Amino acid sequence: MTFSIVARQGEAYGVAVASKFLAVGAVVPGARVGVGAVATQSWARVAYIPDLLARLEAGESADSAVESVTAMDPGRATRQVGVVGRASAATFTGDECVPWCGGLARTDAGGETAYAIQGNILVGPQVVDEMERAWLGSARATFPQRLLAALAAGDAAGGDSRGRQSAAIYAVEPGAGYDRCGVAADLRVDDHTEPVRELGRLLDEWEMYFGRPEDVQPLEDHLASEVRRLLTRLGHEPGDDGVEAALAAWAGEVNYESRLAPGGIDRRVLAALRAAAGDPAR
């Protein structure tokens, strides 16, 4: 009753999923830093997640791991699962999954990326095809954004034939996330009329709060003067310790600490500062 993408990009692993089902993120996705990612769906078997991740960690390929766990499952005909490991990807659709159902799995020649895309009770195979197209066409985006792009393409292609209800992204990467804990994204929209769109809004907020600095500009000359003026307008007038210290105080107040960069200002922090100060010139 679901469509999903399970993918790896470098050291990042993750799952994006949507369904006409309450809280799909509580059931389908799983991932482990340095190991792999799994999506279990249709008549989902949640125990597949730790079992498959353990096999991947032990060195099994995705194909071998899927073959092993499904062979031992008397309910395998109703299962659907996608798996990505360090150098492989696999998808499985049981014979009793409700049409349209199916999937594909690919690993690029250089081994930098791999993905498995699958779904059941879909409007047709175009959902999977469009998800793959979006994944391949979004290589310059962040890893969670690529997962979302694929999910949004599947949703736009018709997605679950019964409608929409929930969506989720779970992604891991060494050093990512709050306190560099390794969680690159962990977001769920459990019950919503437009869950994929809402998931996109949340991901944008997540990356603002927990993302790393990007497009950092040095706090010098005209930019330093502008930032000083904006901070003063917001009640954080720089003192003897300078503009950078005042910026850090404001960023701490609005929870943007993860995007602070020594000697400079992150592009998105600068945009947020301008917006907060109501700068009419921007």
Side-chain angles (χ1 to χ4, degrees), residues 218-253:
L219 276 170
E220 299 172 353
D221 303 326
H222 296 299
L223 182 58
S225 297
E226 179 193 1
V227 170
R228 176 184 293 274
R229 175 173 55 81
L230 296 175
L231 288 168
T232 299
R233 185 178 297 177
L234 292 169
H236 287 276
E237 182 175 4
D240 294 339
D241 46 2
V243 174
E244 194 171 344
L247 178 62
W250 174 77
E253 187 177 279

Side-chain angles (χ1 to χ4, degrees), residues 213-214 216-217 219 244 247 257-266:
E214 54 187 300
V216 175
Q217 301 176 60
L219 276 170
E244 194 171 344
L247 178 62
E257 301 97 324
S258 293
R259 286 189 167 271
L260 290 176
I265 184 168
D266 164 88

Side-chain angles (χ1 to χ4, degrees), residues 48-106:
Y48 274 179
I49 296 173
D51 289 352
L52 286 163
L53 290 174
R55 288 177 179 275
L56 292 174
E57 191 166 26
E60 280 194 53
S61 69
D63 282 321
S64 174
V66 168
E67 184 177 349
S68 297
V69 299
T70 55
M72 296 184 292
D73 179 10
R76 60 186 172 274
T78 66
R79 314 293 190 201
Q80 190 172 54
V81 62
V83 182
V84 168
R86 295 186 184 96
S88 57
T91 189
F92 170 85
T93 299
D95 294 339
E96 295 178 15
C97 290
V98 181
W100 188 90
C101 56
L104 56 84
R106 313 265 196 251

Side-chain angles (χ1 to χ4, degrees), residues 9 28 30 32 35 38 53 57 61 88 96 107 114 123-124 140 169-170 174 189 193 207 222 228 242:
Q9 178 177 297
V28 171
R32 187 179 301 165
V35 175
V38 176
L53 290 174
E57 191 166 26
S61 69
S88 57
E96 295 178 15
T107 303
V123 296
R140 294 191 176 185
I169 287 181
Y170 185 67
V189 178
T193 56
E207 292 194 332
H222 296 299
R228 176 184 293 274

Side-chain angles (χ1 to χ4, degrees), residues 6-261:
V6 184
R8 177 181 63 79
Q9 178 177 297
E11 294 184 282
Y13 295 91
V15 180
V17 57
S19 182
K20 178 64 171 68
F21 187 84
L22 181 72
V24 69
V27 177
V28 171
R32 187 179 301 165
V33 174
V35 175
V38 176
T40 174
Q41 55 199 53
S42 187
W43 287 93
R45 182 172 174 80
V46 178
Y48 274 179
I49 296 173
D51 289 352
L52 286 163
L53 290 174
R55 288 177 179 275
L56 292 174
E57 191 166 26
E60 280 194 53
S61 69
D63 282 321
S64 174
V66 168
E67 184 177 349
S68 297
V69 299
T70 55
M72 296 184 292
D73 179 10
R76 60 186 172 274
T78 66
R79 314 293 190 201
Q80 190 172 54
V81 62
V83 182
V84 168
R86 295 186 184 96
S88 57
T91 189
F92 170 85
T93 299
D95 294 339
E96 295 178 15
C97 290
V98 181
W100 188 90
C101 56
L104 56 84
R106 313 265 196 251
T107 303
D108 70 18
E112 178 64 18
T113 64
Y115 56 91
I117 301 171
Q118 48 281 312
N120 62 95
I121 319 187
L122 303 184
V123 296
Q126 66 269 28
V127 175
V128 170
D129 294 341
E130 289 303 311
M131 290 176 72
E132 181 180 35
R133 192 189 313 276
W135 168 262
L136 294 173
S138 59
R140 294 191 176 185
T142 67
F143 179 64
Q145 288 170 353
R146 293 190 76 184
L147 294 174
L148 178 66
L151 196 68
D155 185 60
D160 189 322
S161 63
R162 301 163 308 150
R164 301 178 174 96
Q165 189 169 5
S166 65
I169 287 181
Y170 185 67
V172 297
E173 183 178 8
Y178 184 81
D179 197 32
R180 303 296 182 251
C181 65
V183 179
D186 183 4
L187 294 166
R188 286 170 39 177
V189 178
D190 288 342
D191 190 14
H192 199 281
T193 56
E194 293 286 348
V196 176
R197 183 183 301 173
E198 176 65 5
L199 189 65
R201 184 190 70 80
L202 291 175
L203 180 60
D204 187 63
E205 289 293 307
W206 175 283
E207 292 194 332
M208 185 63 193
Y209 282 96
F210 304 131
R212 299 171 183 175
E214 54 187 300
D215 300 330
V216 175
Q217 301 176 60
L219 276 170
E220 299 172 353
D221 303 326
H222 296 299
L223 182 58
S225 297
E226 179 193 1
V227 170
R228 176 184 293 274
R229 175 173 55 81
L230 296 175
L231 288 168
T232 299
R233 185 178 297 177
L234 292 169
H236 287 276
E237 182 175 4
D240 294 339
D241 46 2
V243 174
E244 194 171 344
L247 178 62
W250 174 77
E253 187 177 279
V254 294
N255 298 314
Y256 295 159
E257 301 97 324
S258 293
R259 286 189 167 271
L260 290 176

